[in-house]
C-alpha cells in the first residue's frame, strides 16, 4: 500500500503537465499568459512539472489582444468546452463579477477541477457556499490574487501566521482610493481632479463606485476576516464608508496635526464574545493615520496590510495591489501550489540536489559609494583626490567638506556607480600619494542614482 | 484504493494528536511551551488535531524556568529518549549551534521524525546535506523561524512568490546591529556606547561577534538565496562585512546627504551566467540607504525584507526579527503545517462550515475622532461646541481654528476615545443648537492617544 501511494505520488509530480483552462483574457489573464511563458523554466524547477494552458475562454475570439498565446492553446467561447474538458485539471477564473463566474466555478467543481480565482466579490458574497462545495468535492480552491495583488497575505494568514492569535488587522486594500488620496495629499488637488487623473491613467474605472465608495476594500476585508479568524462575516454586515467627495481642507488639516488620511479596512477582536464565540469589530472607513505608522507612508496605487498578533507582534506587508503582472504572479503562485500538491516541500524546489550558484567575485561588484577621508586643510587636496578617483574611472556625484575635527578635515564624497576593484585601487592611490591622515571609510549606497 | 487512502487521510487529521519532542528550553523554547497552551484552541480549529508536547530535552532537569510545562510533559537529558521515542512525530530543534544539533536532527530523521528548526547557522553551513537527507527519508523539514523571526519570508519565497522570478532581495536581518545603528542615528551616541546598551537590554550577547560582524545575517542570507533561486551558495563564498567600530561621524554625514546607514544583506541576479546557470552577487555590508526607502525606516530590533521580482514588482515585509514569542510563533506555524499536512486547505481552518462571527454594532465602536466644523466667527461658539461634546462624555484633545474660508471659520478638533454613538449624538446637538454652517466632517484616527 505504501509503495503504491508513493508510486502515484512520483508519477503525479514527475512528468505529467498540469493542464489549465483559463476563463478571461483581460489585463490579468494576459499577464498570466505572458508569465507562463517567461517563467516556464522556473515552473519546472519549482514543481518538477510543466503547466500547460490548453484553453482560454473569451467572449469574442477575433478581438485583438496584447498577449501572444503559446502554440496549441485554443480560444473557446463555450464555457462547457472548458469546464467539461476531462484533460483540464484546474480552472483559472479571471472573468470577475458574480453570476457567470459562480456558474463557471460550480460547474468546474462538479467536473472535479481545482479552482484558482482572483474574484474577491464572489468569494466575499458567496464564499460560504463555494468553500463548502470545494470541501465536499475535495478540491483545492486558491485565491491569493483576490486580496492585495502581489502581497502574499492570503498564504501568510492561512499558513505562516497560524501559530498566532490575530488581535487586529488593518490594510490599505484599494489602490485607486489610495492613489486619489496620495495625489490630494502630495499635490494639494481636490477630489474630483484626482479622480479624473486616476481615470486618465487607467487606475480608476469610468464608474469608480466599487473603488471609491469602499466596496472593493470591503470585499477583500471579508476574505481577510475569514482567513484570520475562521468565521463567516456576512458582507452585508460590514460597515462601509468610502472617500467620495473628501475635502482637500481636511487632508491639509490632518497633515498639520501629523496625520495622513487613508482609506482603511480594519478588523479587530472585541471583548465580550459569549460561549467562546469570536466577537469582531470590522469596517472600511477613511481615517487619519499618524505619520509614524508605516501605513501612513503607503503611496500611490500600493497596498499594505498590518497584522497585530499575539506571538508575532506587529507585522507589515507592502506591495503592488493591482496590475497585470503583480496579480498574474499571485495567480501563477497558486497554480504552482496546485501543481506541486506534494509533501514535503523543504527547499521550495523540486530538485533533490540543488545546483551550485555562479558567484560574482566581490571585486567586480558595482555600486555607488560613500567615501569619507580625513585630509589636511591645504589647497589642492581635493584636486589630487579627484585625480586618484578619475585615474580609476570613478566620477564623484557630490562632495561635502567639514571643519577641522582635530585629526584633519573630513571630506565626504558620493560617487557614481563603480566597481569594488576600482574603488580599492583608487583609495590605494590616495594612500600612496600621502593625501590621507587615516585610512578611508567607505560604504555602498542603496537608493543612489543607479537605483532610483 | 482511492477510498482507502482517503480514509487514512481522515483518520490522520481527525483526532490523533501530533506528538512533539522539543530540544532546548531557553527563550524560544519557553515561548513555544507558552504558546502551545495559550493557542491550543486555535491549533484545533486550524488543524482538527491537538499538538501534544511529550518530551523536552534539557541539559539540567532541576534548573528553574519561566515557562510552566503542561501536565504529562517530561523533561529528559538523554537525546535518544527523544529521537528514539516511537510515539514522537516531530522534533523541534531549538538548541542552536552546530554539532549537537546536527547529530540530533540526523538521528531524528533516521528514526522517521519530521523536523522543525530555527537553526540558521546549521542550515546555512550544512543545509545541503540536511535537505538531501530529509528528501531521501521523505520527511518534512521546516525552518520559518530561522530567518527574520516573525516575518513569514521563508513561506513567502517557498510558496507564495513562486510565480515570480526574483531579481533581487535585500534585508535587515540582524536586530542587534539594527538596534545599535538606530541608537547611533537617533541619539547620536558612538558605537561602543550603543553596543553596551544593547547588551544591557539583552539585545546583544556578551560576545556580540556573530551579530555585529555580520555572520548571523550572512547565515540567514544563504537560506534566502536557496529559497529564492534554488541554488546552493556556499556560506564561505559570501562576502561579509559587519558594523563593528562604525563611526558616529559617518552616520551624521550620511544623514546630511539624506541617507541612513543600515546593515544590509543582499543578493541580486547578475548578468552573464553560462549554460542557464544563475549568476549571483551576494553579501552582507553596511550601506547608506536613501531615506525614501521603507528599509531606511526600519528601527530598533525590527527586521525587514525587500523582494524585487519580475511579476510582483517590489514587496516589503516588516516585523520582529527575534524574541521569545515572535520566534516561537513561527515555530508553531511550522508545527501546524506538519499537523495539517493535508489538502485541500482552502479556508485555513479545519472546520467544514465556519461559525458566524459575533459582530460589534457600528454605533458601539470606539475611536479617537478628527472633527471639522464650519462655524461663525463669534464669541462663545467654541464654548457651546465643547458643551455639546461634553454632554455626550466626549473630551477634546486638541483644537485648531483657521481664518474665514468664505462659508465660515473652520474649527478642527481631535477627541479622546469615544463611541460612534456618542459622536453622532454630540454632532446632532451642535446641529440642533444652530452652531454649524454645514454638516460636520469627521474621521476616525489611528495612531492617536489610545493606540500609541
Amino acid at each position: 500500500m505504501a509503495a503504491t501511494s508513493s508510486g502515484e505520488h512520483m508519477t503525479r509530480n514527475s512528468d505529467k503537465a498540469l493542464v489549465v483552462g483559463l476563463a478571461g483574457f483581460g489585463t490579468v489573464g494576459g499577464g498570466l499568459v505572458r508569465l507562463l511563458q517567461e517563467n516556464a523554466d522556473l515552473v519546472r524547477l519549482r514543481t518538477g512539472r510543466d503547466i500547460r494552458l490548453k484553453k482560454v475562454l473569451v467572449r469574442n475570439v477575433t478581438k485583438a489582444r496584447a498577449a501572444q498565446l503559446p502554440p496549441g492553446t485554443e480560444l473557446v467561447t463555450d464555457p462547457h468546452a472548458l469546464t467539461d474538458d476531462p484533460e483540464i485539471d484546474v480552472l483559472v477564473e479571471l472573468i470577475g463579477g458574480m453570476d457567470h463566474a459562480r456558474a463557471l466555478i460550480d460547474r468546474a467543481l462538479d467536473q472535479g477541477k481545482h479552482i484558482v480565482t482572483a474574484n474577491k466579490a464572489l468569494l466575499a458574497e458567496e464564499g460560504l457556499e463555494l468553500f463548502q462545495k470545494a470541501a465536499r468535492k475535495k478540491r483545492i480552491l486558491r485565491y491569493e490574487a483576490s486580496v492585495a495583488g502581489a502581497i502574499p497575505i492570503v498564504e501568510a494568514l492561512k499558513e505562516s501566521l497560524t501559530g498566532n492569535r490575530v488581535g487586529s488587522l488593518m490594510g490599505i486594500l484599494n489602490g485607486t482610493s489610495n492613489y486619489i488620496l496620495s495625489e490630494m495629499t502630495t499635490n494639494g488637488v481636490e477630489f474630483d481632479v484626482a479622480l479624473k487623473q486616476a481615470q486618465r491613467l487607467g487606475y480608476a474605472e469610468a464608474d469608480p463606485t466599487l473603488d471609491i465608495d469602499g466596496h472593493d476594500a470591503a470585499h477583500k476585508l471579508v476574505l481577510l476576516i475569514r482567513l484570520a479568524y475562521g468565521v463567516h462575516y456576512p458582507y452585508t454586515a460590514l460597515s462601509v464608508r468610502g472617500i467620495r467627495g473628501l475635502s482637500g481642507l481636511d487632508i491639509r488639516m490632518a497633515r498639520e496635526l501629523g496625520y495622513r488620511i487613508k482609506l482603511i479596512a480594519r478588523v479587530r477582536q472585541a471583548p465580550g464574545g459569549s460561549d467562546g464565540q469570536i466577537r469582531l469589530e470590522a469596517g472600511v472607513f477613511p481615517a487619519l493615520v499618524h505619520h509614524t505608522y508605516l501605513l501612513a507612508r503607503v503611496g500611490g496605487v500600493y497596498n499594505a496590510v498590518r497584522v497585530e498578533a499575539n506571538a508575532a507582534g506587529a507585522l507589515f506587508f507592502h506591495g503592488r495591489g493591482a496590475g497585470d503582472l503583480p496579480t498574474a504572479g499571485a495567480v501563477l503562485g497558486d497554480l504552482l501550489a496546485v501543481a506541486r500538491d506534494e509533501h514535503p516541500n523543504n527547499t521550495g524546489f523540486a530538485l533533490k540536489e540543488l545546483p551550485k550558484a555562479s558567484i560574482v567575485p566581490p571585486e567586480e561588484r558595482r555600486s555607488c559609494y560613500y567615501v569619507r577621508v580625513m585630509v589636511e586643510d591645504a589647497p589642492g587636496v581635493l584636486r589630487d583626490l579627484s585625480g586618484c578617483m578619475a585615474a580609476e574611472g570613478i566620477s564623484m556625484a557630490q562632495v561635502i567638506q567639514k571643519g577641522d575635527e582635530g585629526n584633519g578635515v573630513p571630506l565626504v564624497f558620493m560617487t557614481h556607480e563603480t566597481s569594488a576593484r576600482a574603488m580599492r585601487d583608487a583609495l590605494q592611490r590616495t594612500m600612496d600619494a600621502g593625501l590621507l591622515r587615516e585610512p578611508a571609510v567607505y560604504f555602498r549606497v542603496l537608493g543612489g542614482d543607479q537605483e532610483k
Side-chain angles (χ1 to χ4, degrees), chain A:
Chain A
M1 180 73 75
T4 314
S5 99
S6 149
E8 278 175 10
H9 186 83
M10 298 300 283
T11 318
R12 194 190 331 144
N13 286 290
S14 52
D15 41 22
K16 194 190 157 297
L18 182 80
V19 182
V20 173
L22 167 64
F25 199 11
T27 315
V28 179
L32 179 64
V33 167
R34 203 179 119 191
L35 276 187
L36 276 171
Q37 296 170 77
E38 276 183 25
N39 292 4
D41 56 333
L42 255 184
V43 168
R44 255 190 312 278
L45 272 174
R46 290 265 185 200
T47 66
R49 314 168 66 174
D50 287 317
I51 295 181
R52 178 159 77 84
L53 183 59
K54 186 174 179 192
K55 289 178 178 167
V56 180
L57 176 66
V58 294
R59 261 179 299 196
N60 179 355
V61 176
T62 55
K63 187 175 159 190
R65 297 170 204 278
Q68 193 80 37
L69 283 179
T73 301
E74 201 184 329
L75 284 180
V76 298
T77 52
D78 171 15
H80 289 189
L82 202 155
T83 54
D84 298 9
D85 183 332
E87 214 197 349
I88 289 178
D89 300 305
V90 195
L91 162 70
V92 175
E93 184 274 299
L94 297 176
I95 56 176
M98 303 294 294
D99 295 350
H100 283 303
R102 174 68 192 269
L104 199 66
I105 291 177
D106 271 336
R107 178 83 182 193
L109 283 172
D110 286 333
Q111 298 288 323
K113 316 298 183 208
H114 300 296
I115 310 290
V116 172
T117 177
N119 195 330
K120 60 224 78 171
L122 183 62
L123 288 176
E125 299 191 25
E126 301 180 14
L128 196 65
E129 299 80 37
L130 281 173
F131 285 115
Q132 281 170 7
K133 180 160 188 168
R136 234 170 25 241
K137 300 280 179 186
K138 299 196 192 319
R139 293 300 110 177
I140 303 173
L141 169 57
R142 293 188 67 103
Y143 47 101
E144 184 63 71
S146 62
V147 185
I151 303 174
I153 189 64
V154 171
E155 189 83 2
L157 290 170
K158 205 169 65 171
E159 303 285 354
S160 310
L161 304 181
T162 51
N164 283 269
R165 198 179 290 282
V166 175
S168 71
L169 182 155
M170 52 184 158
I172 293 173
L173 302 178
N174 184 266
T176 306
S177 299
N178 201 59
Y179 174 82
I180 291 171
L181 293 175
S182 298
E183 278 302 298
M184 290 177 72
T185 305
T186 312
N187 299 328
V189 299
E190 285 294 332
F191 180 83
D192 290 335
V193 177
L195 171 59
K196 284 216 184 70
Q197 187 169 328
Q199 285 169 324
R200 218 170 27 243
L201 292 169
Y203 296 156
E205 310 280 338
D207 173 6
T209 306
L210 215 55
D211 291 320
I212 66 173
D213 289 338
H215 306 303
D216 173 72
H219 281 138
K220 294 164 179 166
L221 182 59
V222 167
L223 302 198
L224 294 179
I225 293 172
R226 189 185 284 145
L227 286 160
Y229 298 101
V231 294
H232 171 57
Y233 197 110
Y235 173 67
T236 47
L238 212 57
S239 103
V240 179
R241 178 181 168 196
I243 60 162
R244 191 189 288 268
L246 202 125
S247 161
L249 174 59
D250 293 308
I251 290 198
R252 290 195 300 279
M253 296 301 297
R255 253 198 112 121
E256 255 185 62
L257 293 158
Y259 293 83
R260 307 282 176 277
I261 299 186
K262 293 288 181 190
L263 182 63
I264 296 291
R266 183 175 71 172
V267 58
R268 52 180 180 176
Q269 201 164 349
S274 55
D275 294 336
Q277 201 187 14
I278 290 175
R279 186 165 163 80
L280 299 175
E281 178 194 313
V284 173
F285 50 91
L288 275 71
V289 183
H290 197 258
H291 73 93
T292 54
Y293 272 38
L294 287 170
L295 272 178
R297 311 228 148 238
V298 178
V301 292
Y302 274 85
N303 278 197
V305 182
R306 182 185 195 271
V307 182
E308 181 90 40
N310 75 334
L315 283 164
F316 179 77
F317 304 80
H318 180 268
R320 287 177 202 279
D324 53 351
L325 289 182
T327 311
V331 171
L332 184 53
D334 278 350
L335 277 177
L336 263 80
V338 176
R340 202 133 69 170
D341 185 10
E342 148 206 45
H343 282 270
N345 171 33
N346 297 330
T347 63
F349 286 83
L351 299 169
K352 293 285 166 271
E353 183 154 353
L354 298 179
K356 214 167 162 231
S358 159
I359 292 170
V360 175
E363 64 271 22
E364 286 179 27
R365 290 172 192 176
R366 297 185 65 78
S367 191
C368 294
Y369 282 91
Y370 160 101
V371 183
R372 174 172 60 83
V373 292
M374 303 302 277
V375 296
E376 216 173 326
D377 192 5
V381 169
L382 181 57
R383 181 202 56 209
D384 294 349
L385 253 168
S386 311
C388 294
M389 294 293 137
E392 298 294 339
I394 300 172
S395 73
M396 290 173 166
Q398 213 174 338
V399 181
I400 301 183
Q401 188 170 332
K402 290 279 170 183
D404 201 309
E405 293 251 334
N407 54 344
V409 172
L411 191 76
V412 168
F413 54 95
M414 306 280 271
T415 74
H416 288 295
E417 193 175 289
T418 185
S419 73
R421 179 191 292 116
M423 180 50 68
R424 186 197 58 204
D425 292 349
L427 290 174
Q428 189 58 51
R429 279 177 192 267
T430 63
M431 292 290 276
D432 295 347
L435 293 170
L436 309 192
R437 288 282 186 89
E438 55 185 59
V441 170
Y442 60 101
F443 302 103
R444 285 196 258 175
V445 178
L446 304 180
D449 58 4
Q450 91 285 23
E451 307 198 54
K452 278 296 197 177

